[in-house]
Amino acid sequence: QQQVKQSPQSLIVQKGGISIINCAYENTAFDYFPWYQQFPGKGPALLIAIRPDVSEKKEGRFTISFNKSAKQFSLHIMDSQPGDSATYFCAAPKYTNAGKSTFGDGTTLTVKP
Amino acid sequence: KAGVTQTPRYLIKTRGQQVTLSCSPISGHRSVSWYQQTPGQGLQFLFEYFSETQRNKGNFPGRFSGRQFSNSRSEMNVSTLELGDSALYLCASSKGLGRETQYFGPGTRLLVL
């Protein structure tokens, strides 16, 4: 059962452009929404996370936008750089169980120089 | 502080064999989760251990099992290997069971021939 749907599957952006990745969730019990970044040969690493009591969170060039009514959240990468080329996963762990996370299928981002 | 370590990093087995993978969490972390990552299925939750007890389990057959030791180190075992078990197996640790950041290891890449 797919509880977190992520799109697009792949994304190609020119250097300096904006990368946007979207996730939609089904379970309203989810209350913590992290994004992970994974480089080839590495495990996923937490990039940025948001809780549903705020609509936006920004850390450097990375911003999460959250729409609770639509049950959607998105990752925006401003001024995308070739070093941002990686696979990005959204996730939705339950409050009482951070270990049991439902991940989106991932978005492979390629930033062209 | 050392990160999550997983051994071995690469493994080749044949169908019908069994395999044991090891994970050492970050010092002080008591929760260890295991995930299977494949190109077609993305990141799938296997199980989570906390204080030597399995707290949650994903939708995997009984051939997949795990355990956690008193020092929080964890092992997962896959018996009677099938070709479809070829994947990257990721371990993630966190301090507890709450809404906390998970830190992933580099994974063990298993190839079943």
Side-chain angles (χ1 to χ4, degrees):
Chain A
Q1 182 182 357
Q2 183 81 31
Q3 296 191 47
V4 178
K5 295 184 180 180
Q6 184 174 344
S7 63
Q9 186 175 9
S10 62
L11 183 61
I12 300 174
V13 175
Q14 290 294 129
K15 178 182 176 181
I18 302 174
S19 304
I20 301 175
I21 306 171
N22 300 298
C23 272
Y25 64 97
E26 299 173 1
N27 190 335
T28 55
F30 293 152
D31 61 357
Y32 173 64
F33 301 91
W35 283 92
Y36 288 85
Q37 180 188 54
Q38 185 178 27
F39 293 105
K42 305 283 188 181
L46 179 68
L47 184 63
I48 186 172
I50 196 170
R51 295 173 184 175
D53 53 345
V54 296
S55 60
E56 186 175 283
K57 182 176 181 180
K58 183 176 180 180
E59 289 184 1
R61 296 184 294 108
F62 300 91
T63 300
I64 296 181
S65 296
F66 182 77
N67 186 329
K68 189 173 183 178
S69 60
K71 291 192 284 185
Q72 294 178 346
F73 58 110
S74 60
L75 174 69
H76 295 236
I77 306 174
M78 312 299 288
D79 187 26
S80 299
Q81 300 296 312
D84 297 331
S85 297
T87 300
Y88 293 82
F89 295 92
C90 60
K94 295 179 184 177
Y95 175 79
T96 57
N97 193 345
K100 186 179 179 180
S101 294
T102 300
F103 286 82
D105 289 339
T107 296
T108 301
L109 171 66
T110 302
V111 181
K112 292 195 168 184
Chain B
K1 185 183 276 191
V4 178
T5 58
Q6 293 186 244
T7 56
R9 291 293 311 277
Y10 303 93
L11 207 49
I12 299 176
K13 292 286 187 179
T14 57
R15 279 181 300 173
Q17 287 187 309
Q18 76 165 17
V19 65
T20 299
L21 312 181
S22 181
C23 170
S24 292
I26 291 172
S27 178
H29 285 194
R30 297 170 63 191
S31 172
V32 173
S33 298
W34 288 89
Y35 295 85
Q36 181 194 65
Q37 185 175 28
T38 59
Q41 298 295 320
L43 274 159
Q44 301 290 318
F45 171 75
L46 280 156
F47 27 66
E48 179 190 19
Y49 287 87
F50 180 82
S51 294
E52 301 179 66
T53 302
Q54 187 181 89
R55 297 298 175 130
N56 285 287
K57 191 176 189 299
N59 297 323
F60 279 81
R63 301 185 296 106
F64 292 81
S65 63
R67 59 177 176 169
Q68 186 180 35
F69 302 94
S70 59
N71 61 359
S72 295
R73 189 177 70 85
S74 177
E75 289 181 347
M76 68 163 280
N77 183 275
V78 187
S79 62
T80 319
L81 284 166
E82 301 177 358
L83 296 180
D85 297 333
S86 295
L88 180 67
Y89 290 89
L90 292 160
C91 164
S93 77
S94 60
K95 288 183 179 178
L97 287 172
R99 190 196 303 158
E100 298 169 352
T101 300
Q102 292 184 85
Y103 296 87
F104 284 83
T108 294
R109 186 163 296 282
L110 171 65
L111 177 61
V112 182
L113 301 175

